[in-house]
Amino acid sequence: MDYKQQVGVQSHVEQMGSVEDRSMDDLDDECLHSPGTDARKTQASDSNRQIPFSDQQLPLSDGFPIVGNKMVRNRIYQSIKTVVFSNKLNLLMPFGPLAILVHKLTASNGWVFFLSLLGITPLAERLGYATEQLAFFTGPTVGGLLNATFGNATELIISIYALKSGMIRVVQLSLLGSILSNMLLVLGCAFFCGGLVYHRKEQVFNKATAVVNSGLLLMAVMGLLFPAVLHYTHTERRVGKSELSLSRFSSCIMLVAYAAYLFFQLRSQNDHYSPINEEGSTHGDNSDNDEDEAPEISKWESMIWLTILTAWISILSDYLVDTIQGASEAWDLSIAFISVILLPIIGNAAEHASAIMFAMKDKLDISLGVAIGSSTQISMFGIPFCVVIGWMMGREMDLNFQLFETATLFITVIVVAFFLQEGTSNYFKGLMLILCYLIVAASFFAHEDPTSTDQKKQP
């Protein structure tokens, strides 16, 4: 009996132990799968994972995220500091509001024109900066299209406002002046300053890019030449209509050609259009410029700044166009001289400075992109675009830039093409281009535009 009782007790204890073990396991399982434990596990795993700023739950005080507001304010401050206060040229920005104030208080068109011109100068440079920053996030193809669109946005905005006011001649002369200024003055100063810094050697640039740009410029001259020849030879089939129809057709062809050029440059010939070094080989190592290639502002900041700067340039362009006639009378200067010489020099001062700076750093390919590339944009995109926009507005803008202006552009393109054909530069070439620009400036100072004279004689 004792033995059986002992065995029974032992078996009973083992059963109780197994039950207790199962109950403990079940209890552990319940604890492991309880909501509190799941939450703690989730918090523990989340704490080890970095959460984006937009997904974080920020502490609230009176319903507002304190940390979020602080970070937003700091971001806005940094963006304004980077875009507005990082360039000494932005010291001219207050002249824009001052021009509006002078226009409201006085009737001095000369001062309003001059102050508006000074106020637009830093805005044009910052517009190019914002475009470059946005291009970091869009890739080379879209970035190239952005640069083509906003590269000369200031000239296009001024031209559109002039078209709206019916000042077709101002549009033609200002766009022509930008081409002449970039090809002679900007490129000449870049060659001259770069040649003085590197006077013991000849600076080298990509000859293929220069040749293609020269060909496009000659094509633009051809587009401007035929309407002028048609007009002055009096060989129109329909007087007053054939010239305009030819201009609009040629403008569409030029826009197609420029779009094909962009595709060719950005897709088909990437290797052929990379900067070259002294030995003529392409640069494959950009490690030295990694810091320069990092974006300074975000994509959305770039888009916001593009919108703000474009709107502000549009406002000042309206005042600029409205006062150009009064400035011509106040300063006793022809509209042709103001449009061809003064507007491009002051309005494109930022591009001039950047081209010279890159040439002094022995980066002539970038200088050529600023000078010749900008001239190509205006001649193959800006001028035809204004013809098409005028067509939509009901304005009869054509490609007949008159005989004197067309001849000036033709000779300028030929001279610059000869200087670029070797693929090298020195300070003497730069000096020759600057002297050529002085001859052009003196010619327009002595030139009286017949179209402006006829407009003055009309009642």
Side-chain angles (χ1 to χ4, degrees), residues 392-419:
M392 296 177 180
M393 290 181 176
R395 304 291 183 182
E396 295 184 353
M397 177 177 173
D398 53 27
L399 296 180
N400 180 15
F401 278 41
Q402 305 298 324
L403 188 60
F404 182 84
E405 289 79 4
T406 306
T408 303
L409 178 61
F410 177 69
I411 296 172
T412 298
V413 171
I414 295 298
V415 169
V416 173
F418 271 106
F419 276 103

PDB file of all heavy atoms in Angstrom, residues 392-419:
ATOM      1  N   MET A 392      -0.067  85.081 -81.613  1.00  0.00           N
ATOM      2  CA  MET A 392      -1.194  84.757 -80.737  1.00  0.00           C
ATOM      3  C   MET A 392      -1.865  86.010 -80.190  1.00  0.00           C
ATOM      4  O   MET A 392      -3.087  86.032 -79.971  1.00  0.00           O
ATOM      5  CB  MET A 392      -0.719  83.878 -79.580  1.00  0.00           C
ATOM      6  CG  MET A 392      -0.183  82.521 -79.994  1.00  0.00           C
ATOM      7  SD  MET A 392       0.423  81.571 -78.592  1.00  0.00           S
ATOM      8  CE  MET A 392       0.980  80.067 -79.417  1.00  0.00           C
ATOM      9  N   MET A 393      -1.082  87.053 -79.948  1.00  0.00           N
ATOM     10  CA  MET A 393      -1.629  88.301 -79.417  1.00  0.00           C
ATOM     11  C   MET A 393      -2.281  89.171 -80.492  1.00  0.00           C
ATOM     12  O   MET A 393      -2.912  90.176 -80.174  1.00  0.00           O
ATOM     13  CB  MET A 393      -0.520  89.119 -78.735  1.00  0.00           C
ATOM     14  CG  MET A 393       0.006  88.549 -77.452  1.00  0.00           C
ATOM     15  SD  MET A 393       1.286  89.643 -76.760  1.00  0.00           S
ATOM     16  CE  MET A 393       1.639  88.798 -75.213  1.00  0.00           C
ATOM     17  N   GLY A 394      -2.081  88.809 -81.759  1.00  0.00           N
ATOM     18  CA  GLY A 394      -2.577  89.652 -82.829  1.00  0.00           C
ATOM     19  C   GLY A 394      -1.624  90.762 -83.199  1.00  0.00           C
ATOM     20  O   GLY A 394      -2.031  91.717 -83.892  1.00  0.00           O
ATOM     21  N   ARG A 395      -0.355  90.665 -82.757  1.00  0.00           N
ATOM     22  CA  ARG A 395       0.667  91.656 -83.083  1.00  0.00           C
ATOM     23  C   ARG A 395       1.479  91.161 -84.279  1.00  0.00           C
ATOM     24  O   ARG A 395       1.910  90.011 -84.302  1.00  0.00           O
ATOM     25  CB  ARG A 395       1.600  91.891 -81.892  1.00  0.00           C
ATOM     26  CG  ARG A 395       0.903  92.313 -80.623  1.00  0.00           C
ATOM     27  CD  ARG A 395       0.329  93.694 -80.730  1.00  0.00           C
ATOM     28  NE  ARG A 395      -0.281  94.131 -79.489  1.00  0.00           N
ATOM     29  CZ  ARG A 395      -0.886  95.296 -79.330  1.00  0.00           C
ATOM     30  NH1 ARG A 395      -0.977  96.132 -80.363  1.00  0.00           N
ATOM     31  NH2 ARG A 395      -1.425  95.643 -78.169  1.00  0.00           N
ATOM     32  N   GLU A 396       1.674  92.031 -85.257  1.00  0.00           N
ATOM     33  CA  GLU A 396       2.345  91.634 -86.481  1.00  0.00           C
ATOM     34  C   GLU A 396       3.866  91.813 -86.350  1.00  0.00           C
ATOM     35  O   GLU A 396       4.487  92.609 -87.047  1.00  0.00           O
ATOM     36  CB  GLU A 396       1.805  92.438 -87.664  1.00  0.00           C
ATOM     37  CG  GLU A 396       0.337  92.161 -87.960  1.00  0.00           C
ATOM     38  CD  GLU A 396      -0.154  92.898 -89.187  1.00  0.00           C
ATOM     39  OE1 GLU A 396       0.617  93.737 -89.725  1.00  0.00           O
ATOM     40  OE2 GLU A 396      -1.287  92.663 -89.615  1.00  0.00           O
ATOM     41  N   MET A 397       4.456  91.046 -85.463  1.00  0.00           N
ATOM     42  CA  MET A 397       5.911  91.055 -85.359  1.00  0.00           C
ATOM     43  C   MET A 397       6.489  90.093 -86.396  1.00  0.00           C
ATOM     44  O   MET A 397       6.037  88.958 -86.526  1.00  0.00           O
ATOM     45  CB  MET A 397       6.363  90.637 -83.957  1.00  0.00           C
ATOM     46  CG  MET A 397       7.869  90.569 -83.832  1.00  0.00           C
ATOM     47  SD  MET A 397       8.465  90.175 -82.199  1.00  0.00           S
ATOM     48  CE  MET A 397      10.220  89.970 -82.532  1.00  0.00           C
ATOM     49  N   ASP A 398       7.485  90.561 -87.128  1.00  0.00           N
ATOM     50  CA  ASP A 398       8.109  89.738 -88.156  1.00  0.00           C
ATOM     51  C   ASP A 398       9.614  89.672 -87.910  1.00  0.00           C
ATOM     52  O   ASP A 398      10.134  90.200 -86.922  1.00  0.00           O
ATOM     53  CB  ASP A 398       7.812  90.286 -89.558  1.00  0.00           C
ATOM     54  CG  ASP A 398       8.182  91.752 -89.692  1.00  0.00           C
ATOM     55  OD1 ASP A 398       9.088  92.203 -88.956  1.00  0.00           O
ATOM     56  OD2 ASP A 398       7.577  92.455 -90.522  1.00  0.00           O
ATOM     57  N   LEU A 399      10.300  88.991 -88.798  1.00  0.00           N
ATOM     58  CA  LEU A 399      11.754  88.829 -88.701  1.00  0.00           C
ATOM     59  C   LEU A 399      12.521  89.862 -89.508  1.00  0.00           C
ATOM     60  O   LEU A 399      13.731  89.726 -89.688  1.00  0.00           O
ATOM     61  CB  LEU A 399      12.151  87.420 -89.157  1.00  0.00           C
ATOM     62  CG  LEU A 399      11.632  86.268 -88.300  1.00  0.00           C
ATOM     63  CD1 LEU A 399      12.090  84.935 -88.868  1.00  0.00           C
ATOM     64  CD2 LEU A 399      12.094  86.406 -86.850  1.00  0.00           C
ATOM     65  N   ASN A 400      11.838  90.879 -89.992  1.00  0.00           N
ATOM     66  CA  ASN A 400      12.510  91.962 -90.701  1.00  0.00           C
ATOM     67  C   ASN A 400      13.048  92.963 -89.685  1.00  0.00           C
ATOM     68  O   ASN A 400      12.328  93.836 -89.209  1.00  0.00           O
ATOM     69  CB  ASN A 400      11.534  92.642 -91.670  1.00  0.00           C
ATOM     70  CG  ASN A 400      12.193  93.791 -92.430  1.00  0.00           C
ATOM     71  OD1 ASN A 400      13.421  93.926 -92.464  1.00  0.00           O
ATOM     72  ND2 ASN A 400      11.369  94.636 -93.027  1.00  0.00           N
ATOM     73  N   PHE A 401      14.310  92.817 -89.336  1.00  0.00           N
ATOM     74  CA  PHE A 401      14.931  93.684 -88.341  1.00  0.00           C
ATOM     75  C   PHE A 401      15.533  94.948 -88.967  1.00  0.00           C
ATOM     76  O   PHE A 401      16.313  95.632 -88.320  1.00  0.00           O
ATOM     77  CB  PHE A 401      16.033  92.916 -87.602  1.00  0.00           C
ATOM     78  CG  PHE A 401      15.522  92.056 -86.485  1.00  0.00           C
ATOM     79  CD1 PHE A 401      14.359  91.312 -86.630  1.00  0.00           C
ATOM     80  CD2 PHE A 401      16.202  91.976 -85.285  1.00  0.00           C
ATOM     81  CE1 PHE A 401      13.878  90.522 -85.594  1.00  0.00           C
ATOM     82  CE2 PHE A 401      15.740  91.184 -84.245  1.00  0.00           C
ATOM     83  CZ  PHE A 401      14.566  90.451 -84.416  1.00  0.00           C
ATOM     84  N   GLN A 402      15.188  95.233 -90.193  1.00  0.00           N
ATOM     85  CA  GLN A 402      15.699  96.343 -90.986  1.00  0.00           C
ATOM     86  C   GLN A 402      17.134  96.050 -91.462  1.00  0.00           C
ATOM     87  O   GLN A 402      17.845  95.220 -90.890  1.00  0.00           O
ATOM     88  CB  GLN A 402      15.629  97.676 -90.221  1.00  0.00           C
ATOM     89  CG  GLN A 402      14.245  98.037 -89.697  1.00  0.00           C
ATOM     90  CD  GLN A 402      13.214  98.206 -90.813  1.00  0.00           C
ATOM     91  OE1 GLN A 402      13.530  98.702 -91.887  1.00  0.00           O
ATOM     92  NE2 GLN A 402      11.981  97.772 -90.546  1.00  0.00           N
ATOM     93  N   LEU A 403      17.532  96.745 -92.491  1.00  0.00           N
ATOM     94  CA  LEU A 403      18.773  96.436 -93.186  1.00  0.00           C
ATOM     95  C   LEU A 403      20.001  96.673 -92.319  1.00  0.00           C
ATOM     96  O   LEU A 403      20.929  95.854 -92.281  1.00  0.00           O
ATOM     97  CB  LEU A 403      18.854  97.275 -94.464  1.00  0.00           C
ATOM     98  CG  LEU A 403      19.988  96.945 -95.427  1.00  0.00           C
ATOM     99  CD1 LEU A 403      19.896  95.512 -95.912  1.00  0.00           C
ATOM    100  CD2 LEU A 403      19.983  97.909 -96.615  1.00  0.00           C
ATOM    101  N   PHE A 404      20.050  97.787 -91.597  1.00  0.00           N
ATOM    102  CA  PHE A 404      21.224  98.129 -90.786  1.00  0.00           C
ATOM    103  C   PHE A 404      21.442  97.093 -89.692  1.00  0.00           C
ATOM    104  O   PHE A 404      22.568  96.607 -89.479  1.00  0.00           O
ATOM    105  CB  PHE A 404      21.025  99.517 -90.178  1.00  0.00           C
ATOM    106  CG  PHE A 404      22.193  99.999 -89.366  1.00  0.00           C
ATOM    107  CD1 PHE A 404      23.274 100.608 -89.967  1.00  0.00           C
ATOM    108  CD2 PHE A 404      22.210  99.837 -87.982  1.00  0.00           C
ATOM    109  CE1 PHE A 404      24.359 101.047 -89.216  1.00  0.00           C
ATOM    110  CE2 PHE A 404      23.272 100.268 -87.225  1.00  0.00           C
ATOM    111  CZ  PHE A 404      24.359 100.884 -87.842  1.00  0.00           C
ATOM    112  N   GLU A 405      20.386  96.719 -88.983  1.00  0.00           N
ATOM    113  CA  GLU A 405      20.506  95.773 -87.882  1.00  0.00           C
ATOM    114  C   GLU A 405      20.852  94.367 -88.379  1.00  0.00           C
ATOM    115  O   GLU A 405      21.669  93.670 -87.778  1.00  0.00           O
ATOM    116  CB  GLU A 405      19.206  95.744 -87.077  1.00  0.00           C
ATOM    117  CG  GLU A 405      18.940  96.991 -86.257  1.00  0.00           C
ATOM    118  CD  GLU A 405      18.394  98.141 -87.082  1.00  0.00           C
ATOM    119  OE1 GLU A 405      18.145  97.946 -88.302  1.00  0.00           O
ATOM    120  OE2 GLU A 405      18.223  99.243 -86.528  1.00  0.00           O
ATOM    121  N   THR A 406      20.239  93.942 -89.472  1.00  0.00           N
ATOM    122  CA  THR A 406      20.521  92.618 -90.005  1.00  0.00           C
ATOM    123  C   THR A 406      21.960  92.510 -90.489  1.00  0.00           C
ATOM    124  O   THR A 406      22.631  91.494 -90.263  1.00  0.00           O
ATOM    125  CB  THR A 406      19.550  92.292 -91.155  1.00  0.00           C
ATOM    126  OG1 THR A 406      18.201  92.459 -90.701  1.00  0.00           O
ATOM    127  CG2 THR A 406      19.738  90.866 -91.639  1.00  0.00           C
ATOM    128  N   ALA A 407      22.455  93.558 -91.152  1.00  0.00           N
ATOM    129  CA  ALA A 407      23.847  93.560 -91.606  1.00  0.00           C
ATOM    130  C   ALA A 407      24.814  93.522 -90.421  1.00  0.00           C
ATOM    131  O   ALA A 407      25.845  92.831 -90.467  1.00  0.00           O
ATOM    132  CB  ALA A 407      24.106  94.792 -92.471  1.00  0.00           C
ATOM    133  N   THR A 408      24.482  94.237 -89.353  1.00  0.00           N
ATOM    134  CA  THR A 408      25.335  94.222 -88.157  1.00  0.00           C
ATOM    135  C   THR A 408      25.418  92.828 -87.559  1.00  0.00           C
ATOM    136  O   THR A 408      26.503  92.359 -87.193  1.00  0.00           O
ATOM    137  CB  THR A 408      24.792  95.209 -87.108  1.00  0.00           C
ATOM    138  OG1 THR A 408      24.703  96.511 -87.681  1.00  0.00           O
ATOM    139  CG2 THR A 408      25.694  95.255 -85.891  1.00  0.00           C
ATOM    140  N   LEU A 409      24.271  92.154 -87.461  1.00  0.00           N
ATOM    141  CA  LEU A 409      24.271  90.803 -86.910  1.00  0.00           C
ATOM    142  C   LEU A 409      25.034  89.839 -87.803  1.00  0.00           C
ATOM    143  O   LEU A 409      25.803  88.995 -87.309  1.00  0.00           O
ATOM    144  CB  LEU A 409      22.823  90.325 -86.735  1.00  0.00           C
ATOM    145  CG  LEU A 409      22.642  88.903 -86.198  1.00  0.00           C
ATOM    146  CD1 LEU A 409      23.256  88.764 -84.806  1.00  0.00           C
ATOM    147  CD2 LEU A 409      21.168  88.520 -86.171  1.00  0.00           C
ATOM    148  N   PHE A 410      24.872  89.954 -89.118  1.00  0.00           N
ATOM    149  CA  PHE A 410      25.554  89.057 -90.048  1.00  0.00           C
ATOM    150  C   PHE A 410      27.078  89.200 -89.933  1.00  0.00           C
ATOM    151  O   PHE A 410      27.808  88.200 -89.832  1.00  0.00           O
ATOM    152  CB  PHE A 410      25.091  89.353 -91.471  1.00  0.00           C
ATOM    153  CG  PHE A 410      25.784  88.525 -92.518  1.00  0.00           C
ATOM    154  CD1 PHE A 410      25.557  87.165 -92.611  1.00  0.00           C
ATOM    155  CD2 PHE A 410      26.661  89.121 -93.417  1.00  0.00           C
ATOM    156  CE1 PHE A 410      26.193  86.400 -93.572  1.00  0.00           C
ATOM    157  CE2 PHE A 410      27.305  88.371 -94.378  1.00  0.00           C
ATOM    158  CZ  PHE A 410      27.066  87.006 -94.463  1.00  0.00           C
ATOM    159  N   ILE A 411      27.561  90.422 -89.919  1.00  0.00           N
ATOM    160  CA  ILE A 411      29.007  90.644 -89.817  1.00  0.00           C
ATOM    161  C   ILE A 411      29.532  90.161 -88.469  1.00  0.00           C
ATOM    162  O   ILE A 411      30.620  89.574 -88.372  1.00  0.00           O
ATOM    163  CB  ILE A 411      29.328  92.143 -90.033  1.00  0.00           C
ATOM    164  CG1 ILE A 411      28.931  92.551 -91.456  1.00  0.00           C
ATOM    165  CG2 ILE A 411      30.801  92.429 -89.787  1.00  0.00           C
ATOM    166  CD1 ILE A 411      29.029  94.040 -91.709  1.00  0.00           C
ATOM    167  N   THR A 412      28.760  90.367 -87.406  1.00  0.00           N
ATOM    168  CA  THR A 412      29.188  89.935 -86.068  1.00  0.00           C
ATOM    169  C   THR A 412      29.341  88.425 -86.006  1.00  0.00           C
ATOM    170  O   THR A 412      30.326  87.899 -85.467  1.00  0.00           O
ATOM    171  CB  THR A 412      28.174  90.413 -85.015  1.00  0.00           C
ATOM    172  OG1 THR A 412      28.128  91.842 -85.027  1.00  0.00           O
ATOM    173  CG2 THR A 412      28.575  89.933 -83.627  1.00  0.00           C
ATOM    174  N   VAL A 413      28.367  87.693 -86.551  1.00  0.00           N
ATOM    175  CA  VAL A 413      28.439  86.226 -86.526  1.00  0.00           C
ATOM    176  C   VAL A 413      29.649  85.737 -87.317  1.00  0.00           C
ATOM    177  O   VAL A 413      30.357  84.815 -86.887  1.00  0.00           O
ATOM    178  CB  VAL A 413      27.127  85.630 -87.081  1.00  0.00           C
ATOM    179  CG1 VAL A 413      27.261  84.118 -87.260  1.00  0.00           C
ATOM    180  CG2 VAL A 413      25.967  85.941 -86.145  1.00  0.00           C
ATOM    181  N   ILE A 414      29.930  86.362 -88.457  1.00  0.00           N
ATOM    182  CA  ILE A 414      31.080  85.951 -89.262  1.00  0.00           C
ATOM    183  C   ILE A 414      32.383  86.193 -88.505  1.00  0.00           C
ATOM    184  O   ILE A 414      33.279  85.326 -88.462  1.00  0.00           O
ATOM    185  CB  ILE A 414      31.085  86.707 -90.604  1.00  0.00           C
ATOM    186  CG1 ILE A 414      29.867  86.308 -91.444  1.00  0.00           C
ATOM    187  CG2 ILE A 414      32.376  86.419 -91.372  1.00  0.00           C
ATOM    188  CD1 ILE A 414      29.826  84.854 -91.825  1.00  0.00           C
ATOM    189  N   VAL A 415      32.505  87.361 -87.875  1.00  0.00           N
ATOM    190  CA  VAL A 415      33.735  87.692 -87.134  1.00  0.00           C
ATOM    191  C   VAL A 415      33.953  86.717 -85.984  1.00  0.00           C
ATOM    192  O   VAL A 415      35.058  86.189 -85.787  1.00  0.00           O
ATOM    193  CB  VAL A 415      33.673  89.153 -86.632  1.00  0.00           C
ATOM    194  CG1 VAL A 415      34.809  89.432 -85.648  1.00  0.00           C
ATOM    195  CG2 VAL A 415      33.748  90.125 -87.802  1.00  0.00           C
ATOM    196  N   VAL A 416      32.908  86.459 -85.203  1.00  0.00           N
ATOM    197  CA  VAL A 416      33.045  85.564 -84.052  1.00  0.00           C
ATOM    198  C   VAL A 416      33.338  84.136 -84.509  1.00  0.00           C
ATOM    199  O   VAL A 416      34.137  83.422 -83.884  1.00  0.00           O
ATOM    200  CB  VAL A 416      31.765  85.623 -83.189  1.00  0.00           C
ATOM    201  CG1 VAL A 416      31.806  84.571 -82.092  1.00  0.00           C
ATOM    202  CG2 VAL A 416      31.597  87.005 -82.588  1.00  0.00           C
ATOM    203  N   ALA A 417      32.730  83.703 -85.606  1.00  0.00           N
ATOM    204  CA  ALA A 417      32.987  82.358 -86.119  1.00  0.00           C
ATOM    205  C   ALA A 417      34.451  82.195 -86.504  1.00  0.00           C
ATOM    206  O   ALA A 417      35.056  81.131 -86.261  1.00  0.00           O
ATOM    207  CB  ALA A 417      32.081  82.071 -87.320  1.00  0.00           C
ATOM    208  N   PHE A 418      35.055  83.224 -87.066  1.00  0.00           N
ATOM    209  CA  PHE A 418      36.474  83.159 -87.401  1.00  0.00           C
ATOM    210  C   PHE A 418      37.343  83.067 -86.147  1.00  0.00           C
ATOM    211  O   PHE A 418      38.358  82.363 -86.124  1.00  0.00           O
ATOM    212  CB  PHE A 418      36.881  84.381 -88.227  1.00  0.00           C
ATOM    213  CG  PHE A 418      36.712  84.193 -89.705  1.00  0.00           C
ATOM    214  CD1 PHE A 418      35.668  84.807 -90.382  1.00  0.00           C
ATOM    215  CD2 PHE A 418      37.587  83.393 -90.424  1.00  0.00           C
ATOM    216  CE1 PHE A 418      35.496  84.624 -91.744  1.00  0.00           C
ATOM    217  CE2 PHE A 418      37.425  83.210 -91.789  1.00  0.00           C
ATOM    218  CZ  PHE A 418      36.376  83.827 -92.456  1.00  0.00           C
ATOM    219  N   PHE A 419      36.966  83.769 -85.092  1.00  0.00           N
ATOM    220  CA  PHE A 419      37.742  83.737 -83.856  1.00  0.00           C
ATOM    221  C   PHE A 419      37.618  82.391 -83.137  1.00  0.00           C
ATOM    222  O   PHE A 419      38.507  82.013 -82.371  1.00  0.00           O
ATOM    223  CB  PHE A 419      37.296  84.857 -82.918  1.00  0.00           C
ATOM    224  CG  PHE A 419      37.943  86.181 -83.211  1.00  0.00           C
ATOM    225  CD1 PHE A 419      37.247  87.181 -83.867  1.00  0.00           C
ATOM    226  CD2 PHE A 419      39.248  86.426 -82.837  1.00  0.00           C
ATOM    227  CE1 PHE A 419      37.835  88.396 -84.141  1.00  0.00           C
ATOM    228  CE2 PHE A 419      39.851  87.643 -83.102  1.00  0.00           C
ATOM    229  CZ  PHE A 419      39.144  88.635 -83.769  1.00  0.00           C
TER     230      PHE A 419
END
